[in-house]
């Protein structure tokens, strides 16, 4: 900024600009949003000289920070969570369960989420359902959210709605997956839900047995996953226009795109440069309002 010249023209000569706002024109600097001295993301005019912060929205997270046991966060940006923690760790696990589906209406399948000991802090656990042989929408209602353990409490439940039908099919399964624990460490993070078929073989007038198995052909594929700066979203089995939502683990919408599934546009790419390390959700909504959600991990 101290190297200036005067010209009788509105056009700057070569090597000069019309402002002196660059604080150090000899370095490539990076934004430091949380002010911890460690930068991340794209270069900026005035920032810090490193690009090593794995979460630039949290001043307590940066290279060299003290690892806090049980918060489920990579505090020191070394790619590990709760390393070196061997005592006084609050562990969380989820149970499996099964239920007979019924012919009509809905039932509730309960998954028990337990802490191995009481905690003096509030414990937060994210969760999301995932298809197995059971399909969200036709066999059960997809769900995601956050469980809150108040201090001293060790048990909470997740209730998933199961849909009854008269279709003859095999027993089917789905998953409830725990994500992103705060003030705890996940030791068993997947609960298996089994929907037990209670329908006999349907018979035609000729007496021959008929069997029908409903299988969803719609799938979301993410590549790569975990991802760093971008992710490609491919939709298998979808037709027409599809809305794609990128959300955080609490379900707060971060981006929304309208995606045409014609052969000329087989996939959509999402830029992830502005998002910190963590677990996110990708949801596809077709023209009939059917929803499917998968987990995206951003690893930086």
């Amino acid at each position: 900024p101290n190297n200036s010249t005067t010209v009788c023209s509105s056009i700057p000569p070569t090597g000069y600009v019309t402002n002196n706002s660059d604080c150090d024109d000899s370095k490539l600097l990076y934004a430091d949003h949380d002010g911890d001295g460690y930068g991340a993301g794209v270069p900026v005019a005035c920032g810090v000289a490193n690009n090593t912060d794995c979460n630039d929205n949290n001043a307590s997270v940066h290279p060299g920070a003290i690892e806090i046991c049980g918060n489920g966060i990579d505090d020191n940006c070394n790619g590990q969570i709760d390393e070196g923690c061997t005592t006084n760790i609050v562990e969380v696990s989820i149970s499996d369960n099964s239920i007979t589906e019924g012919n009509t209406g809905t039932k509730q399948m309960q998954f028990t989420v337990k802490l191995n000991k009481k905690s003096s802090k509030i414990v937060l656990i994210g969760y999301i359902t995932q298809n197995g042989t059971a399909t969200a929408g036709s066999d059960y209602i997809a769900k995601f959210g956050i469980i809150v353990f108040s201090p001293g409490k060790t048990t909470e439940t997740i209730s998933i709605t199961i849909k009854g039908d008269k279709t003859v099919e095999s027993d089917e399964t789905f998953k409830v997956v725990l994500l992103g624990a705060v003030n705890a460490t996940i030791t068993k993070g997947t609960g298996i839900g089994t929907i037990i078929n209670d329908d006999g073989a349907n018979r035609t007038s000729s007496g021959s047995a008929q069997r029908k198995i409903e299988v969803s052909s719609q799938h979301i594929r993410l590549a790569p996953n975990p991802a760093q700066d971008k992710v490609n979203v491919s939709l298998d089995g979808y037709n027409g226009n599809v809305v794609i939502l990128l959300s955080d683990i609490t379900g707060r919408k971060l981006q929304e795109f309208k995606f045409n599934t014609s052969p000329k546009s087989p996939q959509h790419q999402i830029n992830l440069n502005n998002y910190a390390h963590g677990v996110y959700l990708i949801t596809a909504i077709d023209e009939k309002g059917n929803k499917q959600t998968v987990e995206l991990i951003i690893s930086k």
Side-chain angles (χ1 to χ4, degrees), residues 75-137:
D75 300 282
N76 57 11
C77 295
N78 69 346
Q80 302 179 57
I81 296 175
D82 292 343
E83 69 272 16
C85 299
T86 58
T87 60
N88 297 322
I89 296 177
V90 176
E91 299 176 351
V92 60
S93 61
I94 184 172
S95 67
D96 302 322
N97 203 353
S98 61
I99 195 171
T100 302
E101 66 177 355
N103 293 330
T104 59
T106 60
K107 293 183 178 180
Q108 299 301 311
M109 184 185 293
Q110 305 290 336
F111 293 82
T112 301
V113 182
K114 290 185 176 180
L115 304 183
N116 68 327
K117 62 179 67 177
K118 294 181 179 180
S119 174
S120 60
K121 301 178 180 179
I122 293 176
V123 174
L124 304 177
I125 311 291
Y127 68 89
I128 188 172
T129 54
Q130 292 182 353
N131 286 349
T133 53
T135 303

Side-chain angles (χ1 to χ4, degrees), residues 211-248:
R211 180 178 178 85
K212 178 183 178 183
I213 300 177
E214 297 182 354
V215 179
S216 173
S217 61
Q218 293 181 334
H219 300 284
I220 304 173
R221 291 187 293 112
L222 306 179
N225 190 17
Q228 292 184 342
D229 56 347
K230 60 186 177 182
V231 63
N232 294 311
V233 181
S234 300
L235 302 178
D236 297 333
Y238 284 82
N239 294 309
N241 293 321
V242 178
V243 174
I244 300 175
L245 302 178
L246 171 63
S247 309
D248 63 18

Side-chain angles (χ1 to χ4, degrees), residues 31-40 52-63 65-66 68 71-77 182 275-277:
D32 180 17
H33 295 298
D34 56 15
D36 60 5
Y38 296 87
T52 57
D53 200 337
C54 58
N55 186 344
D56 204 30
N57 295 313
N58 188 338
S60 63
V61 176
H62 56 76
I66 297 175
I68 300 175
N71 67 351
I73 297 175
D74 179 13
D75 300 282
N76 57 11
C77 295
V182 176
Y275 300 107
H277 174 94

Side-chain angles (χ1 to χ4, degrees), residues 3-5 7 9-18 25:
N3 185 7
S4 61
T5 188
V7 293
S9 170
S10 61
I11 302 175
T14 301
Y16 287 82
V17 293
T18 58
D25 204 31

Side-chain angles (χ1 to χ4, degrees), residues 13 18 30 35 38 46 48 50 60 62 123 128 145 179 194 198 231 257 296 298-299:
T18 58
Y30 298 90
Y38 296 87
C46 298
V48 295
N50 67 81
S60 63
H62 56 76
V123 174
I128 188 172
L179 309 167
T194 302
D198 59 353
V231 63
F257 311 92
L296 167 67
I298 299 179
S299 178

